Amino acid sequence: MIPRATLRLQFHRGFTFADAAAHAEWFARLGVSHVYASPIAVARPGSMHGYDVVDPTLVNPELGGEEGLLALAKALRSVDVGLILDIVPNHMAADTRNGWWCDVLRQGRASPHAAWFDIDWEPTEAGAAKILLPVLGRPLAEAIEAGELSVAPDSEGRAELRYFDNAFPLSDGSAEGRGSLANLLARQHYRLESWRVAGDRINWRRFFDINELVCLRMERPEAFEAVHALPLRLYAEGVIDGLRIDHVDGLTDPAGYCRQLRERLDGLAKQHGRPRAWLVVEKILLKGETLPKGWGCDGTTGYDFMDEVSALQHDPAGEAILAKAWSGLSGRPESFADEELMARREIVARSFSAQLEACAVAWQAIVGELIPRPTLRRLLAEFLAHIPVYRTYGADDVLSDGDAEILREVGGKVARSCLATDRWAIEPLLAAMLDPKSAPAAWPRAMARLQQLSAPVAAKSVEDTGFYRYGRLLSRNDVGFDIETFSLDVDAFHARMQRRRADYPHTMLATATHDHKRGEDLRARLAVVSEFASDWTALLARWIDPTSSRPTPGDRAMLLQMIVGAWPLDLDRDDAAGRRVFAERLCAWQEKALREAKLESDWAAANEEYEEGARAFTMRLVADDAMPDFLDDLLAFGRRIAPAGAVNGLAQCLLKLTVPGVPDFYQGTDLWDFSLVDPDNRRPVDFAARAKMKMEGASLPDLALHWRDGAIKQALIERTLALRKRAPRLFAEGTYRPVEVEGALRGSVVAFVREAGDDWMLVAVPRLMAPMMAEQEKLGFRAGAWSDTALRLDGNLKKKAHDVLRRRSIELTTRTSLDLLWDEFPIALMSSISPG
């Protein structure tokens, strides 16, 4: 079953299955075919996201339990809406409420679950391996001396170790005649240490560098079966129609995993007479990378489209101006590549030292006679600094030609950047990487170690460090974005869509997610800054003192972008209470941004003095209006770009709805989305208010007159999804053909036709249109702005077309003027299919 469109909902104890069921009719009225649910398995108490699973075999009672889930599914089915489930096979919470993890802590390697977790059980010089638990706030000896550790009975009367709110199991019999606390601890299968040593000493794989999340091994059949028992049963019983796989790159063999899961789902479909399950994976694609063929999935979760449509809306002429101004103000590199390289080396050293050592040990088993381990470790660190994608996919004794080419390219970069005295070792190391059959017993594990390290290094270096250090234009800094590609022209965009149509026509298309750093319409508005790059940089030069220190010029420049990009459309300049609410949201974003950047502050060592200075500056500027001329300048610029930003937002939305793929709408984005990074983007959504908005008979030109309320975006979604419902084959199978545009502004028009049999649709949206916008903040173009720009249409399109958005008939000719298509509304969707 291929969804028509999905609506992502974030479930937690404040928004349960019952809460969602109450809005089922509105979900159907919007036009989606499926609700796409965040993880529903039992997570840590109070989890706001569900990715910290403690029991994947049960539905979380905080959400309503299985009974509540079945009631939700029934309510959705009653209005012809299905359910897609997000599952987490890569990791679980390293929490003693996790029964599997607790049993491993109690029994060590003897636990039946020991092999399910990615733990290094190799003995050390000190003896048998023990699981390192980096949970203490100080060294163990100091914690014992301070009396922070104690022994007490658990709920079943068994002795357990207590550390503040944490409880740890004791191995059977170890509490009897235990002697000193130190002696008791020495008899456990784990060792407690300060959280500060985790990066250097941890001996199990974490999700990224999060000590509270332990990684699983889906290559172990018993682990696979246990983790997937619930979702597979729910699919077999008709409760869900498909799965979204979280962080597939964390698995040892993503391709093998996906093929195995597809085989199981197809078997259940045949056995129970169910439509084929829709299966998508969270996968970030970079540097022209595509999802490998043969995985058996329907595509990705859509970060790639989110990147492409954003790049389409950026003016290449602004790139150099903005980069130079950024570097001059901040003292940081003009090129993101330089920023990324520094971040990668830093992240490997600070967060993944232990995992790098484990990787070096694995490769030493292959090349140890040739290359000393210190040399090997240094070279592997350089490889990790230069890998251009998240990971390669070598497994068993197979390395694809594409992956081999990536490794050769990286080897060449390492040869130029490593110590001159280490260059001799690159050739034998690279030869070992490229020849799986040279060491069939050791190669798969060594390659897995490298690949499962390169993915979190990329994520932490790029998304969680570099993107917070590099402020050229923040609309190009988001999850899954290829930031070095500032802009895509129309031809490049069309080529990407045609490739998607050929390879993965049913992939998900996203423009907002629970992980995004800036809302979809915030990014669309900031993209307009690229069209006014010189004006923006002049504003920065006028108001930012290059010698300022709290906050630094770079941090101020990023803040100013966020102010003009996120300023709510309904926030008046004189609304003091509203400004304060907005300022508090900005301060929360700012604190996270400063700590993720790891320059002036850090999660591991917060610089409270600097953070307070940054907060004070933000509050004075926005909440207190203590610098009125400065704020006036910012708001004047914001008003200047807001209408073009709104057109970008509508164009982005229509493209998502009409290009090949399945559009996803993150909760709340049916109206304008100016959210900031989480948790701001997970704020409650007022679905009841949305249900009261009646779009059925509304005129889009009329809605355009009061576009700031967002109703125009919701109407666009409803009408286009209604067309998708009437013509499913056109959207699922239709061809994708670029339309020729002629005239001086042809580079500012994205137009294409999709056809299936006798059915067709024509889409035309503008880009880089700020100079053509009407005056007085209207959502439309100057009269005659597009008079000499037209679409060259062939005879296959009927002369009389249905204007889907404005609900009228229109005559198309072989040369159709954009002034005709966009005379009352700035985007167009024409079709042979009557709105009905």
Side-chain angles (χ1 to χ4, degrees):
M1 175 179 289
I2 305 302
R4 178 169 66 251
T6 57
L7 175 67
R8 168 71 179 206
L9 296 179
Q10 290 293 122
F11 288 104
H12 48 81
R13 65 185 178 190
F15 184 78
T16 66
F17 300 139
D19 295 318
H23 303 295
E25 289 188 5
W26 182 78
F27 300 156
R29 197 183 83 198
L30 183 66
V32 300
S33 64
H34 287 77
V35 161
Y36 154 38
S38 61
I40 63 167
V42 182
R44 298 175 79 177
S47 175
M48 295 297 289
H49 49 75
Y51 292 98
D52 46 357
V53 176
V54 297
D55 187 349
T57 68
L58 296 174
V59 180
N60 195 341
E62 287 191 351
L63 310 182
E66 187 157 340
E67 182 179 352
L69 177 67
L70 296 179
L72 170 62
K74 182 178 179 181
L76 293 173
R77 296 289 181 197
S78 72
V79 292
D80 294 323
V81 174
L83 192 59
I84 304 295
L85 186 60
D86 189 347
I87 65 170
V88 194
N90 177 68
H91 55 268
M92 295 180 72
D95 188 306
T96 51
R97 284 165 288 208
N98 175 348
W100 302 346
W101 181 246
C102 187
D103 190 64
V104 175
L105 296 182
R106 177 176 286 112
Q107 298 192 64
R109 202 167 187 177
S111 167
H113 307 296
W116 297 13
F117 297 103
D118 201 346
I119 302 168
D120 186 356
W121 290 107
E122 294 300 316
T124 65
E125 295 178 0
K130 292 189 176 188
I131 302 167
L132 182 134
L133 297 182
V135 297
L136 303 179
R138 62 176 89 195
L140 177 59
E142 293 182 16
I144 293 175
E145 184 177 351
E148 295 173 349
L149 293 160
S150 62
V151 177
D154 65 13
S155 59
E156 298 177 0
R158 290 196 293 187
E160 66 179 8
L161 183 67
R162 300 274 180 85
Y163 175 68
F164 295 106
D165 293 333
N166 300 287
F168 304 97
L170 297 174
S171 58
D172 294 338
S174 64
E176 300 171 9
R178 61 179 182 265
S180 70
L181 189 56
N183 287 336
L184 174 65
L185 291 174
R187 294 199 291 274
Q188 304 311 310
H189 296 286
Y190 55 83
R191 67 182 191 276
L192 304 179
E193 292 210 32
S194 165
W195 63 271
R196 296 183 182 279
V197 307
D200 290 329
R201 294 183 180 173
I202 203 160
N203 60 346
W204 45 272
R205 192 165 56 86
R206 304 167 289 174
F207 173 67
F208 295 174
D209 59 353
I210 302 173
N211 295 339
E212 291 77 24
L213 297 175
V214 57
C215 288
L216 291 158
R217 300 180 65 197
M218 287 299 97
E219 65 271 25
R220 304 291 299 189
E222 305 90 345
F224 180 94
E225 293 301 326
V227 167
H228 293 84
L230 176 64
L232 289 175
R233 176 172 64 81
L234 293 175
Y235 171 67
E237 294 174 354
V239 179
I240 63 172
D241 297 315
L243 297 172
R244 179 260 197 195
I245 309 303
D246 182 63
H247 190 51
V248 74
D249 273 347
L251 304 176
T252 300
D253 179 11
Y257 165 84
C258 288
R259 286 192 290 265
Q260 181 182 5
L261 183 55
R262 171 55 77 190
E263 183 178 347
R264 293 295 301 279
L265 288 167
D266 285 354
L268 290 172
K270 183 176 181 181
Q271 180 182 349
H272 296 275
R274 299 231 49 219
R276 193 171 195 247
W278 190 55
L279 181 63
V280 291
V281 296
E282 184 191 30
K283 169 77 184 102
I284 289 175
L285 303 170
L286 297 175
K287 307 293 190 294
E289 181 186 19
T290 58
L291 188 66
K293 297 288 187 65
W295 281 22
C297 58
D298 291 296
T300 72
T301 52
Y303 297 144
D304 40 331
F305 174 77
M306 187 165 141
D307 173 39
E308 292 159 349
V309 74
S310 169
L312 177 70
Q313 297 182 333
H314 283 73
D315 188 344
E319 180 178 8
I321 298 170
L322 293 167
K324 184 177 181 180
W326 163 252
S327 181
L329 271 176
S330 67
R332 307 297 300 178
E334 279 191 38
S335 161
F336 181 75
D338 295 334
E339 195 74 81
E340 178 183 350
L341 187 60
M342 289 189 289
R344 280 177 173 267
R345 289 182 173 132
E346 179 183 323
I347 289 298
V348 170
R350 69 173 268 158
S351 298
F352 297 104
S353 178
Q355 203 168 330
L356 175 63
E357 180 65 16
C359 185
V361 169
W363 284 103
Q364 188 178 32
I366 302 174
V367 298
E369 292 185 4
L370 293 171
I371 308 173
R373 193 150 92 206
T375 305
L376 189 56
R377 182 184 166 104
R378 289 193 298 271
L379 288 180
L380 288 170
E382 280 300 291
F383 265 82
L384 292 166
H386 290 289
I387 292 177
V389 293
Y390 266 55
R391 60 168 286 173
T392 53
Y393 296 95
D396 298 325
D397 61 350
V398 176
L399 183 71
S400 72
D401 291 343
D403 285 347
E405 184 58 34
I406 288 173
L407 291 174
R408 290 191 188 95
E409 177 188 336
V410 173
K413 292 181 178 179
V414 171
R416 294 189 292 274
S417 68
C418 73
L419 295 174
T421 51
D422 286 346
R423 286 190 190 123
W424 67 270
I426 295 173
E427 184 176 345
L429 175 58
L430 185 59
M433 291 179 176
L434 296 174
D435 188 4
K437 292 182 173 59
S438 64
W443 190 89
R445 186 61 174 157
M447 184 54 71
R449 288 288 195 195
L450 178 63
Q451 293 172 153
Q452 287 177 299
L453 179 51
S454 73
V457 166
K460 294 302 297 180
S461 305
V462 177
E463 297 170 31
D464 294 344
T465 303
F467 280 5
Y468 289 98
R469 292 180 175 181
Y470 188 67
R472 174 190 59 189
L473 189 57
L474 295 180
S475 45
R476 290 301 297 144
N477 300 20
D478 222 306
V479 178
F481 281 26
D482 189 349
I483 189 173
E484 291 184 62
T485 299
F486 184 77
S487 178
L488 279 182
D489 63 25
V490 176
D491 289 341
F493 181 79
H494 284 319
R496 302 276 186 107
M497 299 308 106
Q498 289 174 311
R499 185 173 68 186
R500 183 172 289 113
R501 162 67 178 75
D503 294 347
Y504 286 100
H506 304 137
T507 190
M508 182 181 279
L509 306 175
T511 46
T513 76
H514 62 283
D515 281 331
H516 70 233
K517 301 187 186 304
R518 274 157 284 276
E520 60 183 51
D521 296 305
L522 193 168
R523 292 194 311 272
R525 185 192 291 175
L526 270 186
V528 184
V529 173
S530 67
E531 299 185 63
F532 297 111
S534 295
D535 293 349
W536 175 250
T537 56
L539 185 150
L540 295 181
R542 188 160 62 250
W543 287 110
I544 296 180
D545 179 356
T547 65
S548 59
S549 59
R550 281 189 177 82
T552 64
D555 288 339
R556 292 189 187 212
M558 288 193 185
L559 172 65
L560 301 190
Q561 288 187 53
M562 294 299 284
I563 292 172
V564 299
W567 190 276
L569 288 167
D570 59 354
L571 177 56
D572 290 335
R573 170 71 168 78
D574 297 329
D575 181 357
R579 289 201 318 271
R580 184 161 295 275
V581 170
F582 179 50
E584 290 288 355
R585 290 176 55 213
L586 286 169
C587 287
W589 160 80
Q590 185 178 54
E591 179 183 90
K592 180 168 184 171
L594 293 174
R595 294 182 181 185
E596 294 285 10
K598 308 170 190 66
L599 295 173
E600 304 298 336
S601 193
D602 199 309
W603 291 111
N607 183 339
E608 295 180 2
E609 181 182 1
Y610 183 85
E611 289 181 1
E612 183 51 41
R615 174 183 170 81
F617 177 80
T618 302
M619 296 302 289
R620 287 179 63 238
L621 176 61
V622 178
D624 301 334
D625 199 10
M627 298 171 269
D629 292 344
F630 189 178
L631 187 59
D632 285 343
D633 253 12
L634 286 175
L635 296 187
F637 190 91
R639 287 192 298 272
R640 185 181 179 190
I641 67 173
V647 175
N648 271 347
L650 295 174
Q652 172 179 249
C653 187
L654 183 59
L655 289 172
K656 180 174 69 173
L657 283 159
T658 54
V659 302
V662 176
D664 173 61
F665 295 89
Y666 181 68
Q667 58 181 29
T669 61
D670 56 294
L671 302 182
W672 298 125
D673 172 28
F674 294 102
S675 60
L676 312 181
V677 74
D678 65 278
D680 190 78
N681 61 14
R682 303 177 192 182
R683 289 175 295 157
V685 177
D686 192 344
F687 290 112
R690 284 164 165 76
K692 294 176 183 176
M693 299 173 69
K694 303 297 184 183
M695 298 296 144
E696 182 59 31
S699 159
L700 261 64
D702 287 346
L703 292 178
L705 296 177
H706 52 92
W707 57 273
R708 292 174 177 275
D709 64 8
I712 191 170
K713 184 179 179 185
Q714 190 183 97
L716 164 66
I717 294 168
E718 285 189 8
R719 292 177 191 187
T720 310
L721 287 181
L723 179 64
R724 288 185 75 106
K725 186 175 184 179
R726 291 194 300 274
R729 182 166 168 254
L730 176 61
F731 287 87
E733 303 174 16
T735 59
Y736 180 97
R737 179 164 53 87
V739 169
E740 181 184 351
V741 183
E742 57 183 32
L745 299 177
R746 59 184 176 275
S748 289
V749 181
V750 182
F752 60 89
V753 170
R754 300 198 66 188
E755 296 172 284
D758 293 331
D759 294 338
W760 58 265
M761 65 175 170
L762 166 68
V763 176
V765 301
R767 64 184 286 265
L768 312 185
M769 86 304 291
M772 283 73 82
M773 295 297 294
E775 302 295 330
Q776 300 176 343
E777 302 182 37
K778 292 181 180 178
L779 203 66
F781 303 117
R782 289 183 288 99
W786 304 92
S787 58
D788 71 339
T789 306
L791 305 184
R792 177 65 68 182
L793 303 177
D794 59 37
N796 291 335
L797 304 187
K798 296 177 182 177
K799 290 186 178 180
K800 191 171 184 178
H802 299 284
D803 186 329
V804 176
L805 301 182
R806 289 182 290 179
R807 295 184 172 172
R808 65 178 186 176
S809 294
I810 188 170
E811 293 287 336
L812 299 180
T813 63
T814 55
R815 188 184 187 281
T816 297
S817 169
L818 270 304
D819 265 350
L820 172 67
L821 294 185
W822 295 338
D823 61 340
E824 294 179 309
F825 196 65
I827 58 176
L829 171 59
M830 309 293 161
S831 179
S832 61
I833 301 166
S834 169

